[in-house]
Amino acid sequence: MSSEAPKPAAHKETTGGETAPSLNEPPDGMLPLINRIPFDIFQVIITMCQEKSPRAFRFTISHVCHLWREYVLAMPLLWNSLRINKPVPRWEMLETMLKRSGQALLDIYIGQSPFVKSALPHLRKIMQMIIPHLGRWRTLHLSDAPYKVRRILLDQIRAKPAPHLEDIKISQSFMFDRPSRLKLDNRSPNWRAKNVFLGFHNLHSVEWTHSISDLSRLPTFKNLRSLTIGEATISDGPPRPFVQLLHRILLDSPSLETFEIYNYLNYTWHENAETEAMNLQLPPLTHPSLEALFIESSDSIRSAAIRSLILPKLRTFSAEYDADPIDPSCCDIIAQENSLPELRVVSIGGYIHDHVTRESFLLHMPFLRPAIQNLANLRVLTLRAIDFDEGQWLPDLGHCCPHLRWLLFIHCVGLPIAPIRLLVETRMHTDGINPLEILCIQAFYDAPPEYTVSEEDVAWFSEFLKFKQEDDCSYTEPEAR
């Protein structure tokens, strides 16, 4: 933010040697109070208004009066955000904004509208306008721009110095990827994205949604703090190469804090992948800084990835209260290696509705109790579609997970109500253990009476906490983290 005020208008000399205000400047006593404040304070006020106002605010404010116009034109940070998303961009206005932005870092947004009818001329004009300022780029967002436009633009900036570029977002909804008039093969095997971020040494946040034919065509993501590999980027990624890709990305970005990746699976291919994922064993990789990991794939592939990682700072598998489930095979490494000591939210799914066979379930269930005991920072626990076998697999939640607030049993069987009442009561009377705030027991559709909640149970639970018989917490409750 500039702290140098525009020079005041010149004063005229009177015959007596005194100075008098010019005709365009009223006497100080007649100035509105807002015009008497120092320029630095004016900048703060206008900048705060700009953050909460439409993009036209900077133009509106510059037409209030001569003084405000001088002030606004002397504020580069009001003009450093370029949004290019009209069918015919207003070139003169964009050039004016670039000029007024001075040496401020640029935030550039390019949508798909300029490329619907006149793709190549508009793309050429945009590149001529913004690439000479590459040294000032701070963020670049290509939103639903056609595949070919993205490819050409990224090739133009490849390996060029962009010392201040921190954030690149290539977002694409495949339904909006309209046909373009550019004569370029949409899936040319000659174009490789591997080194597209080469030379961007300060880049720390990337969103990449750009369909590829195989995993080797993904860019190299290095030294990032936030990474999203979006929908339709990876399709039918085989379990072993997919998990190895996760390991490679984590190794290349040891400071990564947030990682989100999608792997769309074709249902005709799904069954073989599930079998391979269930049997996949890789040496565990430790990553020191990851706090949020979201893997949108099948439960078995997600679980294969989780059981191959030791993440001492991981807090959640999802941005929501109810993370996508992992299967009981993940309990082994959580129990034996304490791989997720900071985890806040977890959902563990059984075999009733899922890919997990009963043999696999029985093999890993002995690790459920020690795994839960190692999750000392857990806030929300969901146990889904698990056969507790008359309660023998139920963790001792009355004496562990001291910060637990929500406990949800969804479509579980073999779980008597009495042990749940006992753990609720135990938590209320144990020092250092927080009582539960929310309990949900959503019974399996044909559960026998001894495994369903009676009216008397509902009344008892409701005395001490918020009790639910339907998993609607995502709609009715605040975020748990």
Side-chain angles (χ1 to χ4, degrees):
M1 181 180 295
S2 173
S3 59
E4 182 178 352
K7 293 182 180 179
H11 288 68
K12 296 181 179 180
E13 292 287 336
T14 64
T15 56
E18 299 177 352
T19 59
S22 67
L23 293 177
N24 294 326
E25 183 181 359
D28 288 344
M30 297 177 60
L31 284 174
L33 291 177
I34 186 66
N35 287 355
R36 302 183 205 173
I37 63 174
F39 177 59
D40 285 351
I41 298 178
F42 180 89
Q43 284 191 99
V44 172
I45 295 173
I46 297 303
T47 301
M48 293 175 65
C49 293
Q50 168 77 1
E51 292 173 353
K52 299 181 179 181
S53 302
R55 289 180 295 275
F57 174 79
R58 51 195 166 193
F59 297 100
T60 303
I61 202 72
S62 68
H63 289 83
V64 172
C65 65
H66 289 295
L67 181 61
W68 282 29
R69 182 171 181 82
E70 288 182 24
Y71 281 179
V72 168
L73 296 185
M75 296 173 60
L77 294 182
L78 283 184
W79 308 98
N80 69 331
S81 179
L82 302 182
R83 185 176 180 88
I84 307 172
N85 194 30
K86 291 184 178 295
V88 180
R90 299 173 63 181
W91 305 113
E92 291 186 5
M93 183 190 73
L94 293 169
E95 292 281 8
T96 298
M97 291 177 62
L98 275 172
K99 182 178 179 180
R100 292 178 179 177
S101 66
Q103 295 303 310
L105 300 182
L106 298 175
D107 300 319
I108 300 172
Y109 174 96
I110 302 175
Q112 69 161 341
S113 297
F115 311 110
V116 173
K117 294 184 178 180
S118 186
L120 188 55
H122 285 173
L123 176 60
R124 185 183 297 115
K125 181 71 173 176
I126 290 171
M127 291 192 300
Q128 290 172 350
M129 180 182 298
I130 64 175
I131 288 181
H133 301 275
L134 182 60
R136 293 200 289 133
W137 289 16
R138 178 172 58 188
T139 65
L140 172 66
H141 182 184
L142 297 178
S143 177
D144 291 327
Y147 176 95
K148 303 165 188 179
V149 168
R150 303 196 303 269
R151 180 177 147 180
I152 292 175
L153 182 57
L154 291 173
D155 274 342
Q156 287 296 310
I157 65 174
R158 186 196 301 259
K160 293 182 178 178
H164 300 291
L165 188 58
E166 300 175 353
D167 188 340
I168 292 180
K169 186 175 182 181
I170 313 295
S171 59
Q172 185 66 35
S173 303
F174 62 89
M175 65 185 69
F176 295 118
D177 199 359
R178 298 179 179 177
S180 171
R181 299 189 182 199
L182 296 181
K183 302 300 181 183
L184 183 67
D185 183 6
N186 198 41
R187 295 293 181 270
S188 170
N190 297 322
W191 188 74
R192 301 185 69 84
K194 186 173 180 61
N195 296 320
V196 72
F197 300 132
L198 186 67
F200 302 156
H201 301 298
N202 289 319
L203 190 65
H204 61 71
S205 178
V206 169
E207 178 176 326
W208 181 265
T209 305
H210 191 94
S211 56
I212 58 173
S213 56
D214 61 73
L215 298 183
S216 67
R217 293 186 177 275
L218 273 175
T220 299
F221 302 106
K222 288 192 174 183
N223 301 320
L224 300 177
R225 294 203 295 269
S226 176
L227 173 62
T228 297
I229 299 178
E231 295 183 68
T233 298
I234 301 174
S235 296
D236 295 340
R240 179 175 291 274
F242 179 74
V243 176
Q244 290 173 334
L245 170 66
L246 300 187
H247 283 207
R248 188 191 80 200
I249 290 173
L250 292 174
L251 286 171
D252 285 343
S253 290
S255 298
L256 194 66
E257 298 173 359
T258 303
F259 186 15
E260 188 171 336
I261 186 168
Y262 295 76
N263 180 16
Y264 174 76
L265 299 179
N266 188 315
Y267 285 105
T268 60
W269 177 86
H270 192 271
E271 186 174 348
N272 292 335
E274 297 288 358
T275 302
E276 181 184 347
M278 284 188 290
N279 297 321
L280 181 61
Q281 297 292 333
L282 292 174
L285 170 71
T286 299
H287 190 277
S289 60
L290 196 65
E291 296 182 2
L293 174 62
F294 176 61
I295 302 174
E296 178 61 39
S297 189
S298 70
D299 292 351
S300 61
I301 292 179
R302 184 185 311 107
S303 298
I306 298 303
R307 65 175 180 261
S308 73
L309 297 170
I310 297 175
L311 305 171
K313 289 191 176 181
L314 192 79
R315 297 167 61 93
T316 181
F317 293 123
S318 172
E320 303 295 335
Y321 90 97
D322 186 14
D324 287 324
I326 57 176
D327 66 40
S329 68
C330 297
C331 293
D332 303 32
I333 191 170
I334 298 174
Q336 296 174 352
E337 302 290 343
N338 195 17
S339 60
L340 302 170
E342 292 295 323
L343 195 65
R344 302 299 202 260
V345 182
V346 69
S347 175
I348 300 175
Y351 74 94
I352 297 175
H353 292 308
D354 214 336
H355 60 277
V356 182
T357 63
R358 181 161 181 81
E359 291 74 18
S360 174
F361 175 81
L362 293 175
L363 177 66
H364 298 293
M365 280 305 288
F367 295 97
L368 176 63
R369 283 190 175 187
I372 297 300
Q373 288 174 351
N374 278 342
L375 300 179
N377 289 289
L378 199 63
R379 270 64 168 173
V380 178
L381 172 62
T382 301
L383 298 166
R384 188 180 300 273
I386 290 178
D387 183 352
F388 282 97
D389 195 8
E390 301 304 316
Q392 70 162 316
W393 303 124
L394 182 65
D396 184 13
L397 292 168
H399 297 92
C400 67
C401 303
H403 304 290
L404 190 67
R405 296 165 53 191
W406 299 5
L407 178 60
L408 299 92
F409 297 97
I410 311 300
H411 296 158
C412 294
V413 298
L415 180 61
I417 302 302
I420 302 178
R421 289 179 61 156
L422 178 61
L423 76 85
V424 169
E425 189 170 10
T426 301
R427 293 186 69 90
M428 291 190 296
H429 298 97
T430 302
D431 291 339
I433 299 288
N434 290 339
L436 292 177
E437 297 176 8
I438 293 178
L439 173 66
C440 176
I441 304 176
Q442 185 171 339
F444 199 62
Y445 69 93
D446 61 350
E450 60 268 27
Y451 300 130
T452 57
V453 182
S454 66
E455 292 184 3
E456 190 271 332
D457 291 324
V458 171
W460 188 88
F461 285 128
S462 298
E463 286 186 32
F464 308 108
L465 46 73
K466 183 179 290 187
F467 182 73
K468 297 173 176 288
Q469 297 187 74
E470 182 177 355
D471 180 15
D472 63 350
C473 294
S474 58
Y475 305 104
T476 62
E477 304 301 331
E479 192 172 290
R481 292 179 297 159

